[in-house]
Amino acid sequence: MRIFIASILVLVITSVMAVAGNTKHVKTEELLELGKKIYIRNCSFCHGINGGGDGPVAKFLNPRPRNFRSNVFKFRTTTSGSLPTDEDLFKTISRGIPGTAMQSFDSATNRRGLTENQRWAVIYHIQTMSDDPDYNLWVFDDEYAASDDPDDRADYRYNKVVDIKSPPPSTRETITKGKEVYKKAQCHTCHGVAGRGNGPSASKLKDEWKLPILPRDLTKGWRYKGGNEVADIFTRFTTGMNGTPMPSYSSSIGEEDRFALAHYVKSLQESVTKKRVLTALRVSEKLPTDPADLLWSGVEGIDIRLTGNVITKPRWQNITIDLVRIKAVFTDDEIAFRLEWNDRFQNREDTMALQFPVKQSAGEEKPHFLNGDENHPVNLWIWRADKDLVAELNATGYKNPFITQQVESQNVTGDASFIDGVWSVVMKRSLVTDDRNDTQFNTGGFIPLALNGWDGANGDTGTMKSISSWYLLRLEKPAPLKAFGIAALAVLLVIALEVYLTRRWRRDVTIQDRA
Amino acid sequence: MKSKKTGGGQFWWTTITIGIVLALIKYGIPWLSRWITGSDLPLPVPGTLFFFYTIIILAGTFVYISSDETTIVSFLAPIKSVFRGDYGKLFFFVVMAVTPVVAGYFVFAWVKPAVVASVTLRIQHPSSNFPKKYEALKNPMREPTDAQIDEFIEQANNNSVEYFPQVHDEGKQFTNIRHLPFGPVTKFLAKLHSGTTDRGLAQLALMEKRLFEGRALYQINCRPCHGVSGGGDGPMAYGFSLRPINFTDSGTIDTLVEGYTFWRIENGGPSLPPESTPWDSAMPVWKHDLTEIERWTIMLAEYDIAGVSPREPEKVAR
């Protein structure tokens, strides 16, 4: 019996120790020293030598790297306006902040990231950078809040960890209820009715550092900075995001409603296809230029991911157009594309370009995906919001300016609409033209296709634009009569075989029966 | 081994086996290739290869079945039953009607002119146009000259160590080495303040400074694609069909001589030969934007961030 108790004890003690080993590392002088080295080697280029958020990389980034001297942190499990717990910081550094330059430093996901010990060390170091000498006295203890001595309360500012339970499962009712909460709590004033970050106040928001800031486009799951799962979303609007206009709703919305709201926000996230081949659908009716034409709803498209031009100067990492949904239809003589992308603000400088090689080679060879090269020119169809027309251009490499084609060679037509934060643009041309500088759409092959996009309100201009790599457009040839003939022959052959086998095997049976 | 009692066992065993093998080829191989290469796009199994595998498997099965009277009987039993109408009239007619249609559909799909993407295997480190003169290049930033050490000591004495313009960013932060909390630097400075200059320490401190500067240049210029820790996972990387290289993967910069890496950085994607699909490469031509000495300094940091060292050039006997 004693042995039994002893072994239970050993088990309990070792498991407690194992758990403790996984959590915080004790703050020692040594760890702080290590933290400083890690900070200088890994973080200072963005966050600045003294934590001012002003390293040499900072000026290229939006959002800017955080200024650690001001004690403002977005991703917390603590009440609005207070500091994050050490574990909150640990989570941020391990996970990174998606959609920003702040990447994950977890050595489990990145071989040369930071070990747990190193991450704790650097956290303790950034806490020493605060302008507030009392930073390290900020404690998570109710005792100080309840203290009678006002000095106590002032010195030891009170942080309360918000109680965050795991969310109940999602049902149709919770989502419907969440939608009502979204409306009642007026999330749409910033995030827009459909959640595309295009509410009426969206354009006027500023953050703590007086820089313009945009409400999240809630339909893009990959852009959630603090994680896109229901629990993360719940935490974000429960605690708010310090330093940003994103408020805390912990007191204004009840917990049950907040869970429903989190499920609703999660349901706004749209799925993205990973296909790299766009198959154009052959139709017989005349092709529409109207983006809202019913024809489009029956066509399957693909999603094209765009990234910033970081290839040629001036480079641009702060893009907003990172996804375009594209569809294509064609007839015997025409082809039309419809491109749709989310854009918070309609702007005169909004521009989108479709790019094709002028000449298609039989093999893999293509022009460079960023606007071709000297030996391989590309043909661009550029739609501009200010003119609301599509121009045909050529380019011979990203170092050379675009060349607009002669008026008589301009034969792409188009139309566009902007509805509730979505641009929808149709571009249409005849399959074949007699212009040497145009791409020709011969059926029965793959034609490379790429996109360039500019968001005017985001300051995109020139080479500061969104770009995509090559995708492929597929135009199926109509099946020749011969194919139908061969298939019919096969059907007849199989029927003949069936008749023969049936008769033979049924006869076998009768013979056996007789025998 | 196969049960003979059920009579038709052979038929089911055969169809299930063929089904599993074909599914493995069609879905298993692409899945495996995605898993191995870690990319979204599988190495495709070309249609002709798939066709040949199918033929081989069918032929093998045929040989196996026809090898022995009992397997033939067992295999044919369920088929014969259908033809004799043992499962009822309705089932007989449905099978008789569906089979020709299915056959016709497959034949049609097969003879109809299909559009197939051409498949090329990409060569990651092409040597066909790598200029020989780069082969034996050594990173000049690795071994400071006496003059450079003297200059560094003097700058440290005046508390104004010089950095590249991109790094000091109009003299905002980087004007000395006091903020570098690394052993050689702090020791060197401590000695300097007490009036002695240790040349050995100075050299080590200068190397720390260069490494730091290289890291800064890397974070400014390369990080958007190659990632903050060299993992090929920078915030811009997702958009390129040819993913930026993960420097921590073996078989990348650790298998290359420094001169090769230098040449690739200098001339970027456009200088690759066709077998390396230059049209898909996002790698910029850095000779346009960085000086030669800046590029060597970045390389110092690139290898350090990735935690690998370059391959030594082979000693060519002359």
Side-chain angles (χ1 to χ4, degrees):
Chain A
M1 190 61 194
R2 226 178 292 159
I3 294 179
F4 179 70
I5 292 175
S7 53
I8 292 275
L9 261 178
V10 168
L11 245 171
V12 168
I13 290 170
T14 46
S15 52
V16 165
M17 275 164 61
V19 170
N22 265 334
T23 53
K24 253 178 179 168
H25 290 224
V26 184
K27 195 187 293 189
T28 58
E29 278 301 313
E30 257 177 320
L31 205 60
L32 275 168
E33 230 0 81
L34 175 68
K36 188 168 181 188
K37 287 191 184 130
I38 292 168
Y39 180 85
I40 294 295
R41 216 178 260 151
N42 295 280
C43 324
S44 66
F45 314 108
C46 290
H47 291 286
I49 288 291
N50 301 312
D54 51 357
V57 184
K59 65 178 173 204
F60 302 105
L61 305 179
N62 177 20
R64 288 286 177 126
R66 189 60 38 77
N67 176 348
F68 292 136
R69 300 168 59 174
S70 58
N71 291 337
V72 177
F73 293 93
K74 296 182 179 177
F75 310 103
R76 296 161 296 103
T77 55
T78 58
T79 47
S80 182
S82 52
L83 285 173
T85 65
D86 294 354
E87 284 77 11
D88 289 342
L89 290 174
F90 187 81
K91 198 171 165 196
T92 301
I93 291 161
S94 306
R95 179 176 44 66
I97 307 178
T100 78
M102 174 76 195
Q103 288 184 245
S104 155
F105 282 93
D106 188 345
S107 57
T109 51
N110 196 318
R111 235 169 277 162
R112 298 291 290 173
L114 302 175
T115 63
E116 268 186 33
N117 190 47
Q118 290 172 325
R119 274 174 273 155
W120 282 116
V122 75
I123 286 168
Y124 294 141
H125 178 70
I126 61 178
Q127 289 173 336
T128 66
M129 301 179 128
S130 164
D131 277 345
D132 180 348
D134 285 340
Y135 186 108
N136 288 308
L137 300 178
W138 288 36
V139 287
F140 304 90
D141 193 342
D142 296 277
E143 225 176 274
Y144 294 108
S147 168
D148 291 335
D149 185 351
D151 272 358
D152 255 6
R153 291 208 299 270
D155 274 0
Y156 303 93
R157 262 170 287 177
Y158 173 64
N159 290 294
K160 191 160 170 53
V161 178
V162 173
D163 182 22
I164 288 166
K165 304 197 185 74
S166 61
S170 162
T171 63
R172 189 152 338 123
E173 289 80 58
T174 51
I175 291 180
T176 325
K177 189 166 158 209
K179 191 171 180 175
E180 276 162 29
V181 180
Y182 185 84
K183 213 183 211 164
K184 230 174 26 204
Q186 310 232 309
C187 307
H188 60 268
T189 54
C190 291
H191 292 284
V193 175
R196 298 194 189 100
N198 61 331
S201 340
S203 62
K204 305 170 203 94
L205 302 177
K206 292 259 159 56
D207 68 11
E208 172 102 6
W209 304 273
K210 311 255 170 348
L211 296 169
I213 186 169
L214 296 170
R216 187 77 54 257
D217 179 341
L218 299 172
T219 65
K220 295 181 173 179
W222 62 94
R223 286 225 122 164
Y224 283 55
K225 290 179 176 177
N228 59 15
E229 294 304 327
V230 175
D232 303 319
I233 298 167
F234 178 86
T235 313
R236 275 310 76 68
F237 61 69
T238 297
T239 67
M241 296 169 80
N242 291 354
T244 83
M246 175 66 205
S248 152
Y249 290 89
S250 62
S251 49
S252 53
I253 310 178
E255 188 180 71
E256 212 187 306
D257 280 0
R258 269 184 279 133
F259 275 129
L261 180 58
H263 280 300
Y264 173 66
V265 171
K266 172 82 193 173
S267 76
L268 293 173
Q269 295 172 11
E270 287 169 6
S271 61
V272 179
T273 69
K274 283 197 166 174
K275 297 199 185 109
R276 296 202 69 93
V277 177
L278 169 66
T279 306
L281 184 73
R282 178 183 279 277
V283 294
S284 46
E285 60 258 56
K286 196 171 159 11
L287 297 183
T289 48
D290 179 6
D293 193 283
L294 275 180
L295 173 69
W296 294 110
S297 54
V299 183
E300 198 190 334
I302 62 166
D303 298 331
I304 292 188
R305 292 302 308 271
L306 290 90
T307 185
N309 160 42
V310 281
I311 297 175
T312 186
K313 261 185 170 172
R315 299 188 165 82
W316 190 227
Q317 305 173 40
N318 308 314
I319 54 153
T320 55
I321 307 175
D322 54 4
L323 180 99
V324 174
R325 303 190 187 272
I326 182 169
K327 293 180 173 182
V329 288
F330 71 114
T331 62
D332 286 340
D333 28 56
E334 278 189 318
I335 183 160
F337 297 88
R338 190 185 74 178
L339 297 88
E340 284 192 330
W341 69 98
N342 293 8
D343 187 347
R344 292 180 180 81
F345 315 114
Q346 182 171 11
N347 185 286
R348 290 171 47 78
E349 308 288 318
D350 288 339
T351 305
M352 181 58 65
L354 255 174
Q355 173 185 293
F356 308 98
V358 170
K359 288 195 191 63
Q360 295 144 35
S361 72
E364 274 277 85
E365 199 164 331
K366 302 179 185 81
H368 192 272
F369 72 88
L370 184 56
N371 308 140
D373 47 78
E374 308 270 333
N375 302 321
H376 305 85
V378 291
N379 184 198
L380 293 139
W381 302 359
I382 296 201
W383 165 86
R384 292 196 179 90
D386 55 350
K387 304 210 180 71
D388 195 17
L389 56 74
V390 185
E392 267 198 86
L393 279 67
N394 285 102
T396 55
Y398 53 72
K399 284 270 168 213
N400 303 327
F402 292 169
I403 307 148
T404 312
Q405 292 187 356
Q406 300 293 318
V407 183
E408 56 275 18
S409 311
Q410 296 286 347
N411 36 26
V412 180
T413 55
D415 203 354
S417 71
F418 185 83
I419 300 166
D420 193 15
V422 181
W423 270 118
S424 196
V425 175
V426 171
M427 304 190 202
K428 182 173 118 172
R429 209 202 68 184
S430 53
L431 285 176
V432 182
T433 66
D434 48 19
D435 184 350
R436 277 190 307 121
N437 294 319
D438 281 357
T439 198
Q440 307 300 336
F441 295 93
N442 300 312
T443 53
F446 285 99
I447 297 161
L449 160 160
L451 298 175
N452 286 191
W454 291 261
D455 177 0
N458 190 47
D460 294 7
T461 172
T463 61
M464 293 163 71
K465 61 183 175 186
S466 293
I467 61 173
S468 84
S469 48
W470 285 122
Y471 283 69
L472 294 174
L473 168 71
R474 184 168 119 145
L475 297 177
E476 206 83 57
K477 252 200 178 103
L481 272 179
K482 202 176 80 185
F484 288 103
I486 295 175
L489 202 67
V491 172
L492 287 180
L493 271 174
V494 172
I495 292 177
L497 189 70
E498 280 177 353
V499 171
Y500 167 73
L501 286 178
T502 312
R503 295 183 63 178
R504 179 171 160 187
W505 282 339
R506 293 207 168 176
R507 199 176 53 225
D508 284 356
V509 176
T510 28
I511 290 168
Q512 271 170 23
D513 283 352
R514 252 185 253 144
Chain B
M1 230 195 73
K2 313 264 146 61
S3 145
K4 285 185 187 135
K5 267 170 272 163
T6 54
Q10 194 59 51
F11 176 77
W12 297 112
W13 274 112
T14 314
T15 28
I16 290 171
T17 313
I18 292 179
I20 290 176
V21 172
L22 291 186
L24 270 182
I25 297 173
K26 191 146 176 93
Y27 303 106
I29 295 181
W31 177 83
L32 197 71
S33 77
R34 262 197 310 260
W35 185 72
I36 291 171
T37 59
S39 96
D40 294 335
L41 299 171
L43 303 170
V45 182
T48 45
L49 201 62
F50 185 68
F51 181 74
F52 280 122
Y53 282 149
T54 314
I55 295 288
I56 290 170
I57 289 158
L58 288 182
T61 319
F62 181 75
V63 168
Y64 171 74
I65 289 173
S66 57
S67 65
D68 166 4
E69 185 79 21
T70 50
T71 48
I72 301 179
V73 171
S74 167
F75 178 77
L76 285 180
I79 307 178
K80 279 188 180 171
S81 302
V82 173
F83 275 86
R84 286 173 187 149
D86 292 357
Y87 302 122
K89 258 214 168 80
L90 181 68
F91 190 72
F92 170 76
F93 280 116
V94 169
V95 171
M96 292 302 124
V98 168
T99 314
V101 174
V102 170
Y105 171 79
F106 276 106
V107 169
F108 177 74
W110 187 44
V111 294
K112 161 186 93 155
V115 198
V116 215
S118 60
V119 178
T120 41
L121 283 181
R122 183 170 182 273
I123 297 175
Q124 191 173 40
H125 308 302
S127 50
S128 64
N129 64 345
F130 173 51
K132 268 275 158 298
K133 64 172 186 202
Y134 284 78
E135 178 91 38
L137 283 190
K138 280 280 188 186
N139 190 341
M141 298 308 278
R142 241 180 243 292
E143 267 144 43
T145 61
D146 280 345
Q148 284 168 341
I149 297 173
D150 288 339
E151 192 189 358
F152 176 70
I153 294 174
E154 187 176 331
Q155 287 179 356
N157 257 323
N158 299 334
N159 199 14
S160 66
V161 173
E162 215 175 290
Y163 289 85
F164 293 123
Q166 272 198 355
V167 179
H168 72 63
D169 197 14
E170 286 151 17
K172 269 202 215 123
Q173 305 196 352
F174 303 96
T175 47
N176 56 54
I177 49 169
R178 272 177 312 181
H179 60 264
L180 301 181
F182 309 123
V185 180
T186 43
K187 278 189 212 133
F188 165 67
L189 284 182
K191 279 214 170 155
L192 207 61
H193 290 152
S194 65
T196 45
T197 34
D198 182 330
R199 276 191 77 84
L201 266 180
Q203 176 167 353
L204 292 178
L206 175 55
M207 282 313 291
E208 286 288 357
K209 180 249 174 195
R210 284 183 178 175
L211 206 53
F212 174 77
E213 198 169 20
R215 278 176 175 265
L217 288 174
Y218 174 91
Q219 300 294 345
I220 298 170
N221 299 288
C222 322
R223 175 199 51 80
C225 290
H226 292 288
V228 75
S229 317
D233 57 350
M236 298 289 121
Y238 69 87
F240 301 114
S241 60
L242 205 60
R243 286 299 166 99
I245 286 192
N246 176 348
F247 298 136
T248 70
D249 268 350
S250 58
T252 64
I253 56 170
D254 61 336
T255 48
L256 301 173
V257 292
E258 271 181 320
Y260 188 91
T261 310
F262 184 75
W263 169 72
R264 289 284 282 114
I265 295 171
E266 181 172 272
N267 298 292
S271 71
L272 289 169
E275 65 266 27
S276 304
T277 63
W279 46 84
D280 283 334
S281 172
M283 179 71 178
V285 184
W286 286 108
K287 67 180 169 205
H288 294 324
D289 303 331
L290 295 168
T291 65
E292 190 168 327
I293 222 66
E294 283 171 335
R295 279 181 265 132
W296 281 119
T297 309
I298 288 186
M299 277 179 55
L300 213 56
E302 179 189 351
Y303 278 99
D304 187 57
I305 289 169
V308 296
S309 16
R311 184 165 67 82
E312 286 294 315
E314 270 130 56
K315 303 237 159 42
V316 199
R318 275 193 165 250

